[in-house]
Amino acid sequence: MDYEESVAAHYGGADVLERLLAVVRNAGGDPAHFAPAELRGTDQLHIGGRAATSRVAERAGIEAGTRVLDIGSGLGGVARHLAGEFGADVHGVDLTPEFVAAARSLTERTGLVSSVQFTQGSALDLPVADGSFDAAVVIHVGMNIRDKDRLLAEAARVLRPGGVLAVYDIMLAGGGIEAYPLPWAATRETSFPQPPLAYSDAMGQAGLEVDSEAKPLAEGIAFLERALDGGAPLGLAGPALGNLLDAFRAGLLAPVEIYAHRP
Ligand SMILES: C[S@@+](CC[C@H](N)C(=O)[O-])C[C@H]1O[C@@H](n2cnc3c(N)ncnc32)[C@H](O)[C@@H]1O
């Protein structure tokens, strides 16, 4: 198994759609037709859920009609939020076939198919044309990707001049990481967190100009504390969230946002 197959195997699983539909059903909703909010953020696989997606969208200037590429789109929660709340036109690309299938099904059930589509593919070889997007987002994906230069060169390639890139990942804040599992990897073999400088250097090499950086650490700690209190989303093992919380508190890892644009 190459490492991309291992990453997809980590995230995949036949019952992922059923588990999300159960969230809607258990709250009295109709799993055939429902509003994205009825998934209660379980389709947003990142620290901060829908609130964090809104923050990233605002900082990236995403608005009605913005053509957005969602790189590593997971279950499509980010894409549906950008379309439903901001009016964007979103194309999601993700490595994990089960996630792409679930993302499509959830998007049909929430009535957003006219503005959201998904393709299975790699962030390192994006199946989209040069210069075809106004914005690209990478949310909690880079930790699974060893080659940050290639990731960010591909993101830069798909942006039109003036287009914006928003990266919101868990990054290395200091020291080494010993404790696995983490939410994105069961072992170190598929885990490549790097410091913000690795991202901003790669952005520069890709011809992007970095505009701003933020580290919402206190919010990340509060989010994980609440998640551990209330049960982990999507059956994510408690130990993975606990290890991430410990690494945040110890200053080893931190959630970081970096915004850049293509001149
Ligand atoms: C933690 S999830 C985040 C999903 C989504 N961005 C969100 O915030 O809800 C990470 C996602 O990245 C995808 N991924 C990891 N490596 C990838 C790669 N090389 N190319 C495309 N997708 C990748 C995984 O399949 C998974 O769906």
Side-chain angles (χ1 to χ4, degrees):
M1 215 191 272
D2 73 13
Y3 101 85
E4 285 197 335
E5 286 170 341
S6 304
V7 170
H10 172 74
Y11 287 108
D15 62 345
V16 62
L17 176 62
E18 220 15 75
R19 282 191 278 159
L20 268 84
L21 295 179
V23 171
V24 175
R25 196 180 293 114
N26 293 343
D30 174 0
H33 304 282
F34 53 90
E38 290 182 72
L39 288 167
R40 297 163 172 262
T42 50
D43 58 344
Q44 310 258 340
L45 306 181
H46 56 264
I47 304 285
R50 289 163 61 85
T53 305
S54 287
R55 185 183 65 233
V56 169
E58 280 156 17
R59 289 182 177 167
I62 291 170
E63 56 188 19
T66 305
R67 296 166 302 165
V68 181
L69 184 66
D70 180 6
I71 300 172
S73 44
L75 296 165
V78 168
R80 285 185 295 278
H81 192 76
L82 297 178
E85 302 294 320
F86 291 82
D89 202 0
V90 190
H91 188 156
V93 173
D94 198 281
L95 201 57
T96 304
E98 294 92 334
F99 275 13
V100 173
R104 287 185 181 134
S105 180
L106 294 169
T107 301
E108 279 167 23
R109 293 162 196 262
T110 49
L112 285 166
V113 281
S114 62
S115 47
V116 180
Q117 61 171 306
F118 298 97
T119 303
Q120 197 263 331
S122 171
L124 301 179
D125 187 15
L126 289 167
V128 296
D130 294 4
S132 50
F133 290 90
D134 305 308
V137 297
V138 175
I139 301 189
H140 283 37
V141 179
M143 304 89 77
N144 284 127
I145 296 181
R146 188 182 358 228
D147 189 346
K148 302 289 190 286
D149 289 349
R150 179 74 181 263
L151 166 68
L152 294 160
E154 272 296 90
R157 175 182 71 74
V158 304
L159 289 174
R160 65 157 168 82
V164 172
L165 171 65
V167 175
Y168 170 38
D169 270 355
I170 308 295
M171 300 190 191
L172 263 194
I177 301 165
E178 302 298 335
Y180 284 88
L182 286 164
W184 59 88
T187 67
R188 66 183 69 250
E189 268 65 59
T190 51
S191 183
F192 311 102
Q194 287 181 6
L197 194 58
Y199 285 78
S200 51
D201 276 357
M203 287 176 187
Q205 278 174 43
L208 299 172
E209 283 180 12
V210 174
D211 298 310
S212 64
E213 197 176 305
K215 185 163 83 170
L217 180 61
E219 181 193 303
I221 289 174
F223 180 84
L224 287 175
E225 286 172 345
R226 279 197 306 278
L228 280 164
D229 260 4
L234 257 180
L236 246 186
L241 293 186
N243 285 339
L244 183 57
L245 180 56
D246 288 346
F248 278 6
R249 286 182 173 146
L252 299 176
L253 292 170
V256 176
E257 296 166 28
I258 305 179
Y259 298 88
H261 72 276
R262 180 173 167 188

